[in-house]
Structure formats: C-alpha cells, structure tokens
C-alpha cells in the first residue's frame, strides 16, 4: 500500500509569497544605508574586492593563473549541480 507524501509545511519555500517578501524586506532593512548596496557606492565595492583578493595566498590563486583549470572546475560544478557526472572527453564533443 502506497501513501501519498504530504507537501512540507516547514521552511521558507513552503510560505506564501507575501510572507516570503515580508521576511526578505526585513533583511534588507537591517543593513545601514551606507552599507546597503555596492551598486550605490562603486568605490566601496572595489575596496571590498581588493580586500577579498588580498586575503587569498597568491600560491592558491590557481584559477586566476590557469584559465583551463578554472573552466574545467566550472564545468564539473555545473554537471554536479544537475546530478550529471561526465568525463572531460564526453563534454568536448
């Protein structure tokens, strides 16, 4: 005998869209105006990007130094996120 699986009533995705928007709105309001958006302050965004880049050991920045390695990793990640695992030889065709 099979039972029908009830949809979950837990979690963000199960809420009605209006309630999701209300919660999301509160998150945006909690950030001070001067830090709210990098799009409003390009120099702040550039400074944050520099800080992030400098915090990584130069010997470990392999993707910026090796484009092929970066593209292979991206391809693997894309396939993994879709539940498909392929060999590099299969994706070249």
């Amino acid at each position: 005998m099979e039972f029908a699986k009830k949809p979950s009533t837990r979690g963000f995705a199960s809420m009605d869209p209006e309630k999701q928007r209300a919660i999301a709105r509160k998150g945006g309001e909690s950030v001070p105006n001067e830090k709210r958006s990098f799009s409003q302050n390009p120099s702040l965004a550039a400074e944050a990007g520099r800080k992030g880049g400098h915090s990584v050991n130069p010997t470990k920045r392999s993707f910026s130094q090796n484009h092929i390695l970066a593209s292979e990793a991206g391809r693997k990640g894309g396939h993994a996120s879709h539940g498909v695992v392929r060999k590099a030889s299969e994706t070249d065709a």
Side-chain angles (χ1 to χ4, degrees):
M1 182 189 240
E2 290 188 30
F3 294 98
K5 190 173 182 180
K6 294 181 187 177
S8 176
T9 58
R10 298 174 54 186
F12 194 75
S14 67
M15 295 178 190
D16 70 76
E18 187 54 42
K19 189 168 184 178
Q20 288 179 350
R21 280 191 287 278
I23 292 171
R25 208 174 297 117
K26 287 180 184 178
E29 290 169 357
S30 69
V31 178
N33 281 339
E34 65 273 6
K35 294 185 177 180
R36 185 160 291 183
S37 174
F38 285 149
S39 64
Q40 295 174 2
N41 189 341
S43 63
L44 181 64
E47 182 183 342
R50 271 191 296 280
K51 284 182 182 178
H54 290 298
S55 69
V56 177
N57 185 329
T59 61
K60 295 189 178 184
R61 295 183 198 158
S62 56
F63 287 162
S64 65
Q65 298 170 1
N66 186 337
H67 178 74
I68 294 171
L69 180 65
S71 69
E72 287 174 0
R75 192 175 303 116
K76 284 181 186 177
H79 292 306
S81 68
H82 297 290
V84 176
V85 178
R86 296 185 182 144
K87 295 178 184 173
S89 61
E90 292 176 356
T91 60
D92 294 340

